[in-house]
Amino acid sequence: MSETIEVFDWEDGGHLQSIELLPILSNVEFPLFRQFLNNCGDPIHLNDVVIVKMKSHAEFFPEGQVGDLLISMRAINTISLLDRNTHQVKWHASLFARQHSPRITDYGTIMVFDNLASNLDSGRSRITEIDIEGNSIVGIWEGTDEDYFESETAGRLQLIDDRIFVQESNKGRLFELVCP
């Protein structure tokens, strides 16, 4: 399987470039990346690419720039920031279990749909928020025994006007996460 990001021209749809991720990850001094590179089936399972569009969001990352790429790699439980020009890894976090849909907040954190990080009693999925600078978990939103959510695969977050919307793929639900 080829793990690439394909870049197209917004105006005319022309193909601009392919970014091959496996050679980039093989050069990172982080053992978690290398242990999965021999998996010929689906070594990283790239499932989301977010272009950093706001300068205020870029500044949360070390040497972050507008145009950098925040990527989610499910098979290695990692999100990474790639430099927009060199495509080298500038930052990464591996605090998840088969995550999807990383979203940068206005507060210097990233929220992800953390597919399998919770427990069976409350649904295996949760929303995990990490501090970019400290690379640590600062918030967890899980279900309860009576009202839980779970998506073994997929799952999505959308942040709109300080509101958090969650798409749960197992039950096909879309709901708003309301924080007290």
Side-chain angles (χ1 to χ4, degrees):
M1 178 170 287
S2 177
E3 298 279 8
T4 65
I5 298 172
E6 302 299 330
V7 182
F8 294 89
D9 185 284
W10 182 259
E11 298 295 322
D12 66 14
H15 186 261
L16 299 175
Q17 76 179 127
S18 295
I19 302 169
E20 295 280 342
L21 293 175
L22 294 180
I24 293 167
L25 297 178
S26 68
N27 291 321
V28 175
E29 292 296 325
F30 186 59
L32 189 59
F33 289 156
R34 289 199 194 107
Q35 73 180 352
F36 290 95
L37 295 179
N38 292 329
N39 174 348
C40 296
D42 192 5
I44 62 173
H45 191 98
L46 178 69
N47 63 32
D48 209 329
V49 179
V50 176
I51 300 170
V52 179
K53 296 179 182 175
M54 296 171 45
K55 184 177 183 195
S56 60
H57 286 183
E59 290 173 345
F60 294 135
F61 295 95
E63 301 178 33
Q65 301 174 46
V66 170
D68 284 349
L69 305 173
L70 180 65
I71 64 172
S72 174
M73 299 167 286
R74 186 199 74 185
I76 60 174
N77 305 317
T78 301
I79 59 175
S80 294
L81 186 74
L82 302 182
D83 184 273
R84 68 183 194 171
N85 298 313
T86 66
H87 307 133
Q88 297 306 302
V89 174
K90 291 182 171 181
W91 176 92
H92 66 272
S94 297
L95 304 167
F96 320 104
R98 301 178 79 69
Q99 80 293 328
H100 284 75
S101 200
R103 299 294 179 253
I104 304 168
T105 72
D106 293 334
Y107 313 104
T109 64
I110 296 174
M111 297 183 86
V112 299
F113 192 104
D114 208 349
N115 291 66
L116 299 178
S118 193
N119 59 60
L120 290 175
D121 294 334
S122 302
R124 290 186 295 174
S125 299
R126 70 183 189 190
I127 306 304
T128 300
E129 184 174 14
I130 64 163
D131 175 64
I132 295 169
E133 183 180 357
N135 207 334
S136 59
I137 295 174
V138 294
I140 294 173
W141 291 268
E142 298 178 300
T144 64
D145 292 345
E146 297 82 33
D147 188 21
Y148 67 89
F149 61 100
E150 184 170 284
S151 290
E152 189 173 331
T153 61
R156 186 161 180 83
L157 288 178
Q158 191 68 40
L159 307 179
I160 302 172
D161 298 328
D162 288 331
R163 296 170 72 189
I164 304 165
F165 295 93
V166 179
Q167 181 264 318
E168 173 193 25
S169 60
N170 278 26
K171 294 181 184 177
R173 293 188 304 169
L174 176 66
F175 60 92
E176 182 178 358
L177 181 64
V178 179
C179 302

